[in-house]
Amino acid sequence: MSTTSLGPALEKKRVLVCVGSGGVGKTTVAATLGLRAAVDGRSSLVCTIDPAKRLANSLGLSALGNAETQVPAKVLEALGVRPKAALHAMMLDMKQTWDELITRFAPPEQRERILSNRFYQSLSTALAGSQEYIALEKLWELRRRSDYELIVLDTPPTAHALDFLDAPNRILDFLDNEAAKWLLTPALKAGKIGLSLFNLGSTYAAKTLSKFTGVETLQELSSFMLAISSMNEGFRERARGVRELLKDEQTGFVLVTAPQVERLDEVTHFQSLLKQNQMEVLALVVNRVHPLPSPALWEDAARLTQARRVKVEETLNELRVLAEQDAAAITQLAAACPNTPIIQVPRFELDVHDLTALWRTGRFLLGDEQIS
Amino acid sequence: MPGLLDKRLWIVSGKGGVGKSTISAALALRSARAGRRTLVCEVNTQERITRFLERPAAGPTLTLLEENLWAVDVRPQEAMREYALMVLRFETLYKTVFENRVVRYFLRFIPSLQELVMLGKILYHLQEKLPDGRDRFETIVLDAPATGHAITFLNVPHVLLRTVPPGPMSREALKMRDLLVDPQVTAAVLVAMPEELPVNEALELHAALRDKVQIRTHAAVLNGSFPERFSEGDLEALSGNPELYRVVKAHHDRAAQAVLAETKLERNLHAPVYTVPRIFVPTFGRAAIEQVMGHLEPLVTGSP
């Protein structure tokens, strides 16, 4: 029986979103949650953006691609458990997902124009926030298809976690902005694609702006926006759908962090931001916590020969420093997020990749085991 | 082996959580101690470096921390404003144009413009002169974003040269690219920890910097390493006590992992690897940074 807030979530939620900054073990937590849900009988999909090959290998897959792949049951049986439902995994390919979206929704005569536009190329690969947007977009699509009882999304490693929430708004702004309409109206009316700066509003602002970017850059951007404007309605609807999905009561967020004081601001900020947006924060997972060495170890060490005793005590002292650092950070974290359950996962001796390690992580996530 | 002191722009990157800011802080402190006017730049972060050095946050303006050492947190909005003022020259003109909502809208979506102005600001300071003609900063330490973002960030001049038609933006991009790819000026320091994923990311970063951005890896730093402490004999002697054995074995394994990581980095990067042991202090501050600095001495000076 699970004793943490993630137990009921794995039973009832349809979507779990793992968020946090890079290097905290988000992918591991996401994979573990999907694995546990499948073992306990809910068909699950883990959607990751992290190209960690070993994670794919540990799931018995040679590589993860943009298509959903079932994790072979016999891989899971190696754990000594017989999964009651299927586990699927996929790795999101940003560029491909964007292209699919355009191919599906752009009017046929605009398709090529959009796909080959240089701004589209940047949008789909480099524009800040576009990774986040497309991840959410994919999530929405998968959820609507409803092939899985649970989808676990591992979000892109943003240094600024809030980019993630802002992403649908930014993309919507890009496609649907009063200012842009005003600027483009003359051209839209004239039905022209090749815009001159005159058409661009011929305003003082536009002229000065072109000093920066060059006239052609502005023109190319405008022509891209013209081409894509026919898709606005579709995009708007989907972005609204994404926003609703994030607030849905069957959706929950899992915040993953490391036990470091430097991460504190970021985590509390993100937590309050999620709450402001009426999104449910299920748990704060503090990953790779150093447990305090037990007093018994010190007693045992005292009985060793002098040379060994010195070395062992030095090691225990170091572990104590690490454990105390972590504990202090967690205390601060708990004080800063009083209403969010905190779940601690210990640092395992080696990197967590193989299935056994994922399984052990799961035992802590669900409270079967706890750091003493 | 030339040391970092032979270069002017020291770029520090690696996987998230490996200690990039720690290494950047230590390198910047060392450069300042060598008597070089040094600027350490963070890119739109929560300013770890000033905190490590136990100084008030610098914010988006260049702030003197101590003799020869300045810090700045480069933020997109402020960098954009500075860049605009440089082009437009007049504050009132800036206000009319940049506070216009249509313009603001466009600026947000011109691909990579934010990154361009942030990188532009850093490289501007690299070329900035004092009234007497000397360089304002002899060293700039760039605490770059983590791997994926670092590649995007440093690749911006290249991408723009391909994306935007000839014009003011592409002229800026060209100047920036030339500085970044000049091995006399720029040195990349890749940071990893002795674990598999951070080491692999350092190798990926190395390849991407070399192939996409044309920046050569100067050296790697293996941070948070565990030196070998226990012999096989120790392990055997403790085999009767499973609890203690586990502690000792874990340390032994971590030390072995560090050796493995070091070898893997050396073999694949064809660059020297400098090891910084894990520092055990209750709070990670200036004293810890100075310890780290001591371990980076050969990287900075080039002496063996």
Side-chain angles (χ1 to χ4, degrees):
Chain A
M1 270 318 289
S2 162
T3 53
T4 69
S5 55
L6 289 176
L10 282 189
E11 282 168 27
K12 294 199 191 81
K13 297 286 180 196
R14 298 296 305 267
V15 171
L16 295 176
V17 184
C18 294
V19 283
S21 56
V24 295
K26 230 176 355 194
T27 307
T28 305
V29 170
T32 304
L33 292 174
L35 171 67
R36 278 298 291 247
V39 167
D40 293 340
R42 295 184 82 205
S43 67
S44 308
L45 170 70
V46 180
C47 181
T48 177
I49 38 79
D50 191 338
K53 281 202 190 65
R54 283 208 45 186
L55 182 69
N57 293 346
S58 68
L59 293 174
L61 305 168
S62 56
L64 290 175
N66 210 31
E68 304 128 66
T69 316
Q70 183 170 354
V71 178
K74 68 170 189 290
V75 177
L76 300 178
E77 277 161 19
L79 284 174
V81 288
R82 187 177 288 272
K84 298 190 188 113
L87 173 65
H88 283 76
M90 67 177 289
M91 194 187 97
L92 196 57
D93 179 324
M94 301 291 163
K95 176 89 175 87
Q96 206 182 326
T97 312
W98 267 111
D99 288 355
E100 281 169 17
L101 196 69
I102 298 294
T103 311
R104 201 158 354 134
F105 292 101
E109 71 279 6
Q110 298 285 11
R111 222 170 267 159
E112 279 314 303
R113 196 196 299 281
I114 295 174
L115 290 176
S116 61
N117 183 286
R118 288 190 278 191
F119 283 100
Y120 170 72
Q121 311 260 332
S122 313
L123 176 76
S124 58
T125 53
L127 183 68
S130 93
Q131 273 206 336
E132 287 81 0
Y133 173 75
I134 203 71
L136 291 178
E137 164 74 31
K138 187 79 189 181
L139 175 69
W140 182 73
E141 190 199 308
L142 289 165
R143 173 69 186 85
R144 225 169 48 140
R145 266 181 20 212
S146 210
D147 294 345
Y148 306 97
E149 286 169 278
L150 176 69
I151 300 167
V152 188
L153 178 71
D154 169 32
T155 60
T158 50
H160 303 270
L162 87 147
D163 290 357
F164 190 82
L165 285 179
D166 196 31
N169 298 333
R170 282 192 74 170
I171 297 290
L172 261 188
D173 271 6
F174 178 71
L175 297 163
D176 174 35
N177 184 288
E178 285 302 311
K181 271 192 201 147
W182 172 75
L183 198 67
L184 291 168
T185 304
L188 285 169
K189 276 190 186 143
K192 284 183 198 159
I193 297 302
L195 290 177
S196 70
L197 190 59
F198 180 78
N199 290 347
L200 253 178
S202 178
T203 59
Y204 174 65
K207 267 190 234 154
T208 319
L209 184 60
S210 68
K211 251 178 151 167
F212 269 83
T213 59
V215 177
E216 287 179 56
T217 303
L218 274 191
Q219 284 176 345
E220 215 169 300
L221 183 57
S222 315
S223 91
F224 170 57
M225 292 185 47
L226 271 180
I228 212 167
S229 62
S230 54
M231 290 176 68
N232 278 5
E233 195 43 51
F235 266 112
R236 210 177 309 152
E237 197 192 306
R238 294 167 77 84
R240 259 199 306 270
V242 167
R243 262 186 263 173
E244 273 162 28
L245 174 60
L246 295 181
K247 285 185 197 168
D248 193 289
E249 59 175 23
Q250 290 182 314
T251 300
F253 285 78
V254 179
L255 258 166
V256 188
T257 187
Q260 287 158 6
V261 181
E262 304 95 77
R263 308 258 186 195
L264 201 70
D265 296 349
E266 180 178 280
V267 173
T268 48
H269 175 63
F270 198 47
Q271 195 247 11
S272 63
L273 206 77
L274 282 169
K275 293 210 160 158
Q276 257 171 42
N277 284 282
Q278 298 146 40
M279 292 164 192
E280 186 184 0
V281 183
L282 293 167
L284 223 162
V285 173
V286 186
N287 201 9
R288 303 199 189 115
V289 177
H290 292 87
L292 195 65
S294 74
L297 288 171
W298 293 88
E299 287 162 24
D300 290 351
R303 286 192 289 271
L304 297 172
T305 60
Q306 176 63 17
R308 263 184 205 126
R309 174 185 172 163
V310 169
K311 288 197 283 186
V312 170
E313 283 183 348
E314 192 181 356
T315 310
L316 290 173
N317 267 323
E318 290 171 357
L319 290 174
R320 181 161 66 188
V321 170
L322 295 178
E324 283 169 356
Q325 272 174 0
D326 292 357
I330 292 167
T331 307
Q332 286 190 45
L333 203 61
C337 312
N339 301 315
T340 310
I342 292 184
I343 301 173
Q344 300 184 35
V345 178
R347 184 191 185 282
F348 296 124
E349 260 92 70
L350 294 166
D351 290 0
V352 178
H353 297 295
D354 62 46
L355 217 50
T356 328
L358 288 185
W359 189 252
R360 274 194 74 189
T361 303
R363 293 185 56 79
F364 285 92
L365 287 178
L366 294 173
D368 309 335
E369 261 183 82
Q370 271 175 16
I371 295 183
S372 48
Chain B
M1 186 66 215
L4 281 178
L5 286 174
D6 295 320
K7 317 285 176 185
R8 290 194 52 223
L9 176 61
W10 308 355
I11 299 175
V12 181
S13 185
K15 185 173 162 67
V18 296
K20 289 183 290 293
S21 300
T22 304
I23 300 302
S24 300
L27 289 176
L29 196 59
R30 181 62 185 82
S31 169
R33 294 267 170 91
R36 305 209 339 180
R37 289 179 300 278
T38 304
L39 172 66
V40 57
C41 305
E42 290 183 79
V43 181
N44 203 15
T45 59
Q46 286 123 12
E47 284 205 49
R48 303 217 168 118
I49 291 178
T50 42
R51 205 178 315 174
F52 285 153
L53 295 175
E54 297 171 20
R55 293 282 184 272
T61 42
L62 271 60
T63 307
L64 183 65
L65 302 182
E66 59 187 79
E67 198 185 0
N68 285 326
L69 183 58
W70 286 260
V72 66
D73 180 22
V74 181
R75 296 179 192 163
Q77 231 181 340
E78 282 85 356
M80 186 85 81
R81 185 169 176 281
E82 284 175 38
Y83 174 67
L85 281 174
M86 244 186 284
V87 177
L88 297 175
R89 314 218 187 266
F90 294 104
E91 179 86 31
T92 43
L93 200 56
Y94 169 81
K95 281 195 174 144
T96 343
V97 175
F98 276 71
E99 282 164 19
N100 176 307
R101 68 195 179 104
V102 181
V103 174
R104 291 185 83 99
Y105 167 77
F106 263 100
L107 289 179
R108 255 179 102 191
F109 293 111
I110 291 174
S112 312
L113 187 61
Q114 287 204 345
E115 285 81 5
L116 180 78
V117 292
M118 289 197 287
L119 189 58
K121 177 183 166 65
I122 294 162
L123 297 178
Y124 166 78
H125 291 307
L126 189 68
Q127 300 167 88
E128 209 181 353
K129 301 285 180 203
L130 291 172
D132 62 9
R134 293 177 304 154
D135 290 320
R136 181 174 176 198
F137 298 107
E138 291 151 294
T139 306
I140 290 190
V141 180
L142 168 57
D143 182 10
T147 312
H149 285 97
I151 297 165
T152 313
F153 185 65
L154 297 168
N155 202 24
V156 155
H158 296 260
V159 169
L160 279 176
L161 285 172
R162 284 197 305 268
T163 312
V164 301
M169 273 179 81
S170 66
R171 277 200 299 278
E172 285 298 314
L174 190 65
K175 268 198 282 181
M176 288 162 61
R177 189 200 59 187
D178 290 348
L179 278 174
L180 283 178
V181 303
D182 185 350
Q184 303 299 319
V185 176
T186 304
V189 176
L190 311 188
V191 186
M193 286 209 306
E195 287 171 25
E196 183 167 358
L197 293 183
V199 169
N200 287 349
E201 266 206 38
L203 301 186
E204 281 165 31
L205 180 60
H206 163 77
L209 288 181
R210 181 192 58 201
D211 301 338
K212 281 191 176 172
V213 197
Q214 287 140 33
I215 295 180
R216 217 178 49 86
T217 302
H218 179 87
V221 172
L222 192 60
N223 188 31
S225 181
F226 281 66
E228 187 56 274
R229 179 177 290 157
F230 297 102
S231 64
E232 295 294 333
D234 291 331
L235 283 168
E236 249 165 66
L238 287 167
S239 59
N241 184 331
E243 291 296 305
L244 265 192
Y245 178 83
R246 227 163 45 89
V247 171
V248 169
K249 179 75 165 60
H251 192 281
H252 186 69
D253 287 347
R254 271 186 153 181
Q257 232 183 345
V259 175
L260 217 67
E262 193 179 347
T263 320
K264 192 167 177 185
L265 287 170
E266 265 168 1
R267 272 203 199 136
N268 291 283
L269 299 182
H270 308 291
V273 179
Y274 299 91
T275 300
V276 176
R278 174 100 199 207
I279 311 267
F280 297 94
V281 285
T283 41
F284 205 90
R286 202 179 173 85
I289 294 293
E290 298 212 9
Q291 274 193 56
V292 172
M293 191 178 87
H295 293 283
L296 295 173
E297 188 62 20
L299 165 60
V300 175
T301 58
S303 51

